[in-house]
Amino acid sequence: MLLLPLILCLFNFSLINSMSFMDFRPEINQGSRIIHASLTDQESGKVWQIEEMISSAARLEGKIDVTSSEKPKGTHATIFYSYKSYDNNKRLVMQNNDCDLYSYKSDWDKMLPGVTKPMINTILLIGPSFIYRIADSRWKEENDTIIRGALMHKQSKIISQKIKVTAYYKDQFGDVTEPNRIELTEYNPLALALNPDQEDTRKSLILDIYLNSVTFQELAESVQPTPGVGCPVYLQDNLGIPEIYSTKIHFIAKDTASNNKYPSLKEIHGDLEGKIIRLAETRLGHTNNYLYDYNLGVQYLLSKSGDCRVFPIDLKSLGIDINGNFQMGQAFNWLDKIPKYLGQVIFKQRSGLKVAVWESVQIDKVIESGKYDKVVTTIYLSSSATEKIFTDDMIVAATRNAYRKDSLGVFQLIESMQRDFYDVNIDLPDSEYEDAFKLGDCFADPTKRLTLTIHLLCDVGKKSNCIKKSEQMTYGLRKSLMEKLVKTYKLSPLRIVDVEFIFSKDRIEADVTIIEAPNIVDSFSVDYKHIKTSSIKVLHKTSAKSPAECLRYFSAYYSPGSVVYFCKNENLCVSTENPDVTESTTSSKGTDCSAFKFPLKNLNRFGQEKSLSDIHDSLLVQIVHETFTLGQEDSEYTYEIVDVVAADKRSEEKERELYKMFNSRGALTPNGLDIVEVPSIKRFSDCYRACSKSEDIFCETFTFCDNADSFSCIVSSLSELQISRNLTFQEHCKTYVKNYLSDYTPQINKAYKVPISVSKKLWVDDCASECAKTSECFSFGFCDGLCTFGGYYSESNTKFDSKCTIYTPKLSKKYQLTGSEIVTEVLHTELDLDMDQCAAFCFDYKQGDDDQCKSFNYCPKGKEPASCQLTKYSVFDDKTVTNQSTSCHNYQMKTKQNQEEVNKDNWIAEKPNVRTTGVGAFGIIVLFMLIGLIVGFVGPYSVMKIKSSAIFRRPSNDFTWSRQVDNNEEDQHEIQI
């Protein structure tokens, strides 16, 4: 009979032991709670300080801070939990810049640092709030006792894992859920059953509770995992980060690095569809401008002078993920993998703003500053009704923390970067994006630029207002045409630096300026190695005489390998997948090679990019008769490309070389004398012509301002050296100065036998300017930074010198454009000449006494080859038979009489009623000249580009150019300018 009570006792114990603290959910219904307590192990004397914050809003969530003061070194861990119902078997534990997941099945799978007993581990992981898990079960009343000098009521109960829980609280009518002390003691029911009178002398755990406070303050944002540490999982529901729904974005961001006390300011314009980014980065008052072309994998560093340097994009570059792919998120906020939702927190740096947080953790990650054991990228978004770059959210900030492990395997924070976002938007005007994504004068050399005129027909016979509507949709038309070129032709959009339209009664012409593709050798990173070529594991092999030839060959392969070696001494060109070829330590047993790497796998894409010399013929084959549409529904218009014509080299696009950028954010200040504003100017081209086409003034500098709603054009006779004190800062203004060097043709490796001036130390641009302004200078030489003036250039008065170049005036500038009325009767026709060659042909042509070339018609290449037609007639002669041409123009030798005829044809009969005071005379002359050029040459056109070179201008009233030949000839033409 004695066995029966024992068996019943053991049965009851097994039932009790099947339950645990983890099987109960704390019931907290009176708002959030803050609990401060200490846990003492009476056996070892160790003490843990505990602070628990509990949020009971939409779900039960909590944060437990545990600190041990154990000597010699204490420990600290922060524990996070979150669950909806009884899913309470996970904890995130943060310590030493690391976050680990603890899971519970029959017991916890890991022990907290410095903890050796499972019961202590359990209490610390679930926190002091465990009392709320067992509050509803039965408690046994026990005798009151004195604790810490105060009489306390006492209740106890038996819970799982053979634990006796005893609660002490001062108020005997109080609630067991708010005790002052909790004692946890190991409980052995079998021993007590056999000897119920035995005194309990076992050591226990004492949990002293100092604060248990109800707060109606919302703590949900305060109990989320700490951002920036990085966890393997998060306890919130899986919520995807909102996508960037715009193809174009713009933002200004301040980057603050932990290892640099000087923050940098970044302004980024991004075009996801075009795969291009503009970055303006300012640090310590200095700004660098970059253009990233992810189509070709190159970046351009732009300078104020208009020059640029080309660098390859690599895995460390802005916007590139670990696989070498372009990701806008990586450029925008360093993200190159899908982040996980952490929850909502309070962003203290923005006045307590509530933000949603997403986080990405990457192991063994390479960033700009090197390789790290762990990189954590955190994104902060806030709901916004106005700025909706991420669907309905506004990006507030992003952080990137880079960690390395020390010798003990503990993560140490090495580098931290915070990016605060301002002025994030997607609704900037198209004009700003167009300006941002232009390389502009990056390739100013005329041989590196090509202008083609694309002829468009617009809904022929269907909509009579098509041309008029197209003028109102210029930005949309430009975008559609560029997309057609880029997609059909696989042309990098950055290579299209300008598109300008000319609208006539029955057609549209688009002057498209394209620059040369970057040098293939400069577009990829290269290492120089001394190797044995026999050690290369050859994938493909060929012979090449230069690195460019080698790379061009392999650019035709779809998979050329990850490295291409070019060894000049052996003319060897080899591709391989193995980037690590052992270098030879013996100079006699190896050869010097260049190793080109392709981390973006973009060599094949680069090979598809056509050079300028091939573009025109390819476009004639690929896009002529192609169509595209613009507009919506009943206002949709269809455009057909009917021809692609080589633009005249003397077109305005080429003439822009006559002026160079002086200040990108500066404007001349009108003074009514030598600096005046030209009224009614709305386009850069008109302002440009107002300065470059003037024959009555000596215009050297001009400013054009484009402020979206307003425009201004200011011209000046002041030189580059004189205008600095007249410039004021204006955001949307650019000032240009005359580039005299464009008026000269270089004769390389030539020097004067006897120069006409002493040598001066000048830049070559300044030397050209000085020569142009000196009546005795007919050419100039430049040798090692020294400038000298000379007379007429000939073989007899020059000599060979490898260090020198003589610059002579361009011959084609002796001819002026008369218009699109061309002479019908011609002396001779030559095909496939360019404009300069045609001018030279006319200049030297003479057949008998009467058959001299007085003018020529030039028709640039289109569907038909370029033609140069020489004629002995002038369009100014009333007896000359002419006809109107759509793409050909007539040119005639510049003389004073011819210029007067041009001005007469272009003059407007009705003069404006304006006062011609001394103060305003300069501006009126410019205005009359501008209107005369535009209207006189227009004919049926609403707008027309003046396709002629700027006339060589001198400050003196009278000056003549004589024909420059190798030997003195009797037949010399004198042209008065």
Side-chain angles (χ1 to χ4, degrees):
M1 295 296 293
L2 293 175
L3 290 175
L4 182 58
L6 180 59
I7 293 173
L8 292 173
C9 182
L10 292 174
F11 177 73
N12 290 331
F13 171 71
S14 66
L15 289 177
I16 293 173
N17 200 44
S18 67
M19 302 292 289
S20 73
F21 286 119
M22 299 303 296
D23 293 317
F24 299 94
R25 175 184 178 179
E27 298 295 337
I28 301 177
N29 300 318
Q30 299 180 358
S32 302
R33 280 188 173 270
I34 300 176
I35 305 174
H36 291 182
S38 65
L39 180 67
T40 305
D41 180 4
Q42 288 190 312
E43 183 176 357
S44 64
K46 291 179 64 175
V47 178
W48 290 268
Q49 300 296 325
I50 307 171
E51 296 182 5
E52 182 175 10
M53 300 174 67
I54 308 166
S55 171
S56 60
R59 62 169 62 190
L60 193 62
E61 301 173 288
K63 170 184 174 182
I64 309 168
D65 278 305
V66 176
T67 304
S68 169
S69 57
E70 181 184 7
K71 295 181 179 180
K73 184 179 180 181
T75 59
H76 178 267
T78 304
I79 304 157
F80 302 91
Y81 60 85
S82 175
Y83 59 97
K84 292 180 179 178
S85 56
Y86 289 95
D87 179 20
N88 187 31
N89 60 350
K90 294 179 181 178
R91 293 290 186 273
L92 290 177
V93 178
M94 286 187 176
Q95 54 181 325
N96 297 326
N97 291 322
D98 198 8
C99 178
D100 203 359
L101 176 66
Y102 284 44
S103 298
Y104 180 87
K105 290 184 179 178
S106 59
D107 204 348
W108 291 99
D109 60 348
K110 299 181 182 71
M111 300 284 280
L112 288 168
V115 176
T116 56
K117 296 180 180 180
M119 187 166 68
I120 296 176
N121 194 55
T122 296
I123 298 303
L124 293 177
L125 284 171
I126 61 178
S129 62
F130 80 86
I131 191 66
Y132 294 98
R133 298 169 181 269
I134 56 177
D136 291 341
S137 56
R138 290 186 176 182
W139 290 80
K140 177 183 177 182
E141 294 287 343
E142 296 195 14
N143 296 330
D144 292 352
T145 185
I146 295 179
I147 300 295
R148 295 191 302 226
L151 182 66
M152 293 190 181
H153 192 61
K154 180 179 180 183
Q155 288 182 311
S156 67
K157 67 176 301 179
I158 306 299
I159 197 66
S160 62
Q161 301 183 26
K162 299 177 289 185
I163 298 175
K164 179 180 179 182
V165 180
T166 304
Y168 301 86
Y169 49 93
K170 295 180 181 179
D171 187 355
Q172 60 178 339
F173 302 106
D175 190 345
V176 73
T177 60
E178 297 184 2
N180 299 99
R181 168 177 284 195
I182 300 174
E183 185 178 281
L184 300 104
T185 309
E186 294 183 19
Y187 176 71
N188 191 333
L190 179 58
L192 289 177
L194 294 175
N195 190 358
D197 297 329
Q198 182 179 356
E199 183 179 355
D200 188 0
T201 58
R202 290 158 301 184
K203 299 294 183 181
S204 60
L205 299 178
I206 302 296
L207 184 69
D208 285 310
I209 299 175
Y210 306 108
L211 174 67
N212 187 351
S213 173
V214 176
T215 175
F216 292 98
Q217 177 187 357
E218 182 52 61
L219 297 179
E221 291 79 23
S222 302
V223 297
Q224 303 304 322
T226 306
V229 176
C231 296
V233 298
Y234 294 96
L235 303 177
Q236 297 290 336
D237 295 333
N238 187 20
L239 181 63
I241 189 169
E243 295 182 358
I244 302 175
Y245 75 95
S246 173
T247 59
K248 290 183 179 178
I249 63 172
H250 166 264
F251 65 87
I252 296 174
K254 184 178 74 172
D255 282 358
T256 306
S258 59
N259 55 2
N260 192 329
K261 63 180 180 179
Y262 300 107
S264 67
L265 199 65
K266 289 181 169 65
E267 182 175 14
I268 286 183
H269 293 80
D271 183 347
L272 282 69
E273 191 173 6
K275 297 173 69 173
I276 49 179
I277 284 178
R278 172 69 175 247
L279 166 64
E281 184 174 21
T282 303
R283 189 189 298 272
L284 295 175
H286 179 71
T287 300
N288 284 325
N289 287 278
Y290 304 89
L291 266 172
Y292 290 83
D293 185 349
Y294 300 98
N295 302 279
L296 298 181
V298 295
Q299 60 173 308
Y300 303 89
L301 172 60
L302 311 180
S303 69
K304 291 183 178 179
S305 64
D307 298 329
C308 68
R309 297 174 62 190
V310 181
F311 300 94
I313 292 176
D314 56 27
L315 295 180
K316 297 179 182 179
S317 298
L318 176 77
I320 296 298
D321 67 14
I322 195 171
N323 298 315
N325 300 317
F326 168 65
Q327 296 284 348
M328 190 62 216
Q330 206 283 339
F332 193 65
N333 47 35
W334 303 301
L335 277 182
D336 55 12
K337 75 178 275 192
I338 298 175
K340 299 175 182 177
Y341 182 58
L342 181 147
Q344 287 194 336
V345 303
I346 300 298
F347 194 65
K348 297 180 180 178
Q349 291 88 335
R350 292 284 184 92
S351 302
L353 181 67
K354 183 188 292 188
V355 292
V357 183
W358 281 263
E359 203 157 77
S360 167
V361 182
Q362 293 173 285
I363 305 300
D364 296 330
K365 170 71 174 176
V366 177
I367 59 176
E368 304 91 313
S369 56
K371 185 177 181 180
Y372 294 88
D373 296 314
K374 179 177 70 171
V375 174
V376 182
T377 305
T378 310
I379 310 301
Y380 302 88
L381 298 179
S382 175
S383 297
S384 171
T386 56
E387 299 181 11
K388 297 183 178 181
I389 195 165
F390 286 93
T391 314
D392 292 324
D393 296 280
M394 171 186 66
I395 189 165
V396 175
T399 61
R400 186 178 65 182
N401 291 341
Y403 299 88
R404 288 197 182 107
K405 289 183 178 180
D406 61 15
S407 58
L408 300 177
V410 177
F411 282 111
Q412 300 295 332
L413 180 61
I414 305 300
E415 177 184 291
S416 179
M417 177 77 75
Q418 176 165 319
R419 174 171 291 173
D420 294 294
F421 290 90
Y422 307 93
D423 194 27
V424 181
N425 50 54
I426 58 174
D427 55 354
L428 293 180
D430 290 336
S431 57
E432 181 165 337
Y433 283 113
E434 285 190 5
D435 289 342
F437 298 140
K438 280 185 179 179
L439 282 172
D441 297 328
C442 198
F443 294 90
D445 184 351
T447 63
K448 302 295 184 182
R449 302 169 79 90
L450 172 68
T451 300
L452 300 172
T453 301
I454 297 178
H455 291 200
L456 301 172
L457 290 182
C458 175
D459 272 344
V460 177
K462 295 181 181 179
K463 297 183 177 68
S464 59
N465 64 343
C466 182
I467 301 292
K468 183 177 180 181
K469 287 292 185 182
S470 298
E471 290 188 70
Q472 299 172 4
M473 300 187 295
T474 305
Y475 285 118
L477 187 59
R478 181 181 288 109
K479 179 181 178 182
S480 297
L481 182 59
M482 288 185 64
E483 287 178 352
K484 193 71 177 176
L485 292 171
V486 169
K487 293 179 180 179
T488 303
Y489 195 56
K490 267 198 170 179
L491 192 69
S492 171
L494 281 184
R495 293 186 63 191
I496 305 175
V497 296
D498 202 7
V499 178
E500 278 205 19
F501 293 95
I502 305 167
F503 300 93
S504 66
K505 291 182 179 180
D506 57 355
R507 72 181 185 277
I508 303 171
E509 293 181 7
D511 283 352
V512 180
T513 302
I514 305 170
I515 61 172
E516 185 63 274
N519 189 333
I520 193 169
V521 177
D522 298 332
S523 303
F524 300 99
S525 60
V526 58
D527 291 332
Y528 300 98
K529 295 184 176 183
H530 189 76
I531 61 175
K532 293 181 180 179
T533 55
S534 59
S535 64
I536 303 175
K537 296 180 181 179
V538 177
L539 186 62
H540 299 288
K541 181 178 179 181
T542 188
S543 177
K545 296 180 180 179
S546 67
E549 181 183 347
C550 177
L551 292 175
R552 285 290 178 195
Y553 174 82
F554 282 114
S555 68
Y557 282 89
Y558 182 74
S559 179
S562 60
V563 181
V564 167
Y565 285 93
F566 171 72
C567 307
K568 183 176 181 180
N569 292 339
E570 302 179 17
N571 286 341
L572 182 65
C573 180
V574 176
S575 69
T576 178
E577 290 290 356
N578 179 22
D580 301 318
V581 176
T582 304
E583 294 198 51
S584 174
T585 56
T586 306
S587 59
S588 61
K589 294 184 179 180
T591 186
D592 293 327
C593 300
S594 303
F596 294 91
K597 299 179 181 178
F598 319 103
L600 308 189
K601 303 178 180 62
N602 61 326
L603 180 58
N604 177 257
R605 171 62 183 87
F606 205 100
Q608 297 172 1
E609 201 76 13
K610 297 288 185 183
S611 66
L612 281 185
S613 59
D614 299 328
I615 282 180
H616 193 182
D617 290 333
S618 298
L619 285 179
L620 284 170
V621 173
Q622 294 188 41
I623 70 169
V624 171
H625 303 307
E626 288 284 320
T627 61
F628 60 90
T629 59
L630 182 63
Q632 296 178 348
E633 297 177 359
D634 59 337
S635 60
E636 186 177 83
Y637 298 89
T638 301
Y639 301 86
E640 180 185 0
I641 299 172
V642 294
D643 201 357
V644 181
V645 179
D648 193 331
K649 279 191 177 180
R650 295 156 64 103
S651 70
E652 179 183 302
E653 314 310 329
K654 292 298 178 182
E655 285 195 16
R656 286 197 181 186
E657 300 155 15
L658 294 174
Y659 289 86
K660 58 186 178 181
M661 177 79 72
F662 180 76
N663 193 307
S664 61
R665 293 186 177 182
L668 290 166
T669 305
N671 58 17
L673 297 174
D674 45 18
I675 306 175
V676 296
E677 182 173 355
V678 182
S680 303
I681 296 293
K682 295 184 178 180
R683 299 198 317 170
F684 172 87
S685 57
D686 296 338
C687 187
Y688 169 84
R689 282 194 292 266
C691 189
S692 67
K693 301 298 179 184
S694 173
E695 293 301 320
D696 299 292
I697 62 171
F698 184 57
C699 180
E700 282 225 342
T701 53
F702 73 91
T703 293
F704 181 69
C705 302
D706 181 355
N707 195 13
D709 298 329
S710 61
F711 307 89
S712 63
C713 174
I714 303 165
V715 296
S716 169
S717 60
L718 297 181
S719 68
E720 178 178 348
L721 298 176
Q722 295 172 313
I723 64 173
S724 297
R725 61 178 176 271
N726 293 286
L727 285 179
T728 58
F729 175 82
Q730 292 194 36
E731 181 71 25
H732 302 285
C733 296
K734 296 179 180 179
T735 295
Y736 298 82
V737 298
K738 181 76 172 70
N739 178 19
Y740 283 98
L741 190 61
S742 64
D743 289 328
Y744 292 88
T745 299
Q747 312 296 331
I748 301 173
N749 297 332
K750 290 289 184 178
Y752 297 116
K753 291 180 180 178
V754 182
I756 66 171
S757 71
V758 296
S759 299
K760 291 171 117 180
K761 191 170 184 180
L762 294 172
W763 292 107
V764 66
D765 305 67
D766 297 329
C767 188
S769 177
E770 291 293 324
C771 181
K773 297 171 186 177
T774 304
S775 59
E776 296 81 11
C777 180
F778 294 93
S779 61
F780 70 89
F782 193 75
C783 305
D784 278 346
L786 296 178
C787 168
T788 55
F789 295 164
Y792 300 118
Y793 174 86
S794 69
E795 291 295 328
S796 60
N797 62 18
T798 59
K799 61 182 179 179
F800 176 84
D801 192 321
S802 61
K803 296 181 180 180
C804 296
T805 298
I806 291 178
Y807 292 82
T808 60
K810 291 181 179 177
L811 191 61
S812 62
K813 293 193 177 289
K814 297 188 177 188
Y815 291 85
Q816 67 190 62
L817 171 70
T818 65
S820 56
E821 290 284 336
I822 63 174
V823 179
T824 302
E825 185 177 344
V826 297
L827 291 169
H828 185 80
T829 299
E830 285 286 337
L831 301 179
D832 293 325
L833 296 183
D834 62 27
M835 176 62 191
D836 283 319
Q837 292 167 338
C838 188
F841 189 25
C842 180
F843 189 80
D844 291 325
Y845 187 86
K846 183 177 180 181
Q847 295 291 333
D849 295 333
D850 298 327
D851 292 342
Q852 295 183 1
C853 180
K854 290 186 178 180
S855 68
F856 64 87
N857 307 321
Y858 184 73
C859 306
K861 177 182 175 182
K863 288 187 290 187
E864 302 297 330
S867 67
C868 173
Q869 302 169 352
L870 308 186
T871 174
K872 62 180 180 180
Y873 299 105
S874 168
V875 294
F876 303 124
D877 189 342
D878 294 337
K879 297 179 181 180
T880 301
V881 181
T882 63
N883 60 21
Q884 181 73 34
S885 174
T886 58
S887 58
C888 303
H889 293 85
N890 179 265
Y891 298 88
Q892 190 159 326
M893 184 74 72
K894 291 177 182 176
T895 66
K896 186 173 184 180
Q897 180 182 357
N898 289 343
Q899 185 59 47
E900 289 173 353
E901 293 287 349
V902 172
N903 291 339
K904 179 180 178 181
D905 287 346
N906 296 337
W907 193 254
I908 297 177
E910 185 177 351
K911 298 181 181 180
N913 184 18
V914 215
R915 293 178 61 192
T916 55
T917 62
V919 175
F922 181 90
I924 294 174
I925 291 172
V926 173
L927 177 60
F928 283 2
M929 174 276 304
L930 174 63
I931 296 175
L933 284 172
I934 295 177
V935 179
F937 288 160
V938 162
Y941 289 87
S942 60
V943 179
M944 176 179 177
K945 289 184 180 181
I946 307 305
K947 303 194 175 216
S948 64
S949 297
I951 298 172
F952 222 65
R953 296 182 293 279
R954 305 274 179 170
S956 56
N957 293 328
D958 294 305
F959 182 74
T960 59
W961 275 112
S962 296
R963 182 181 178 189
Q964 298 183 16
V965 293
D966 291 345
N967 299 304
N968 294 327
E969 297 182 10
E970 295 180 1
D971 183 19
Q972 291 188 349
H973 298 265
E974 290 192 354
I975 301 105
Q976 188 171 11
I977 304 300

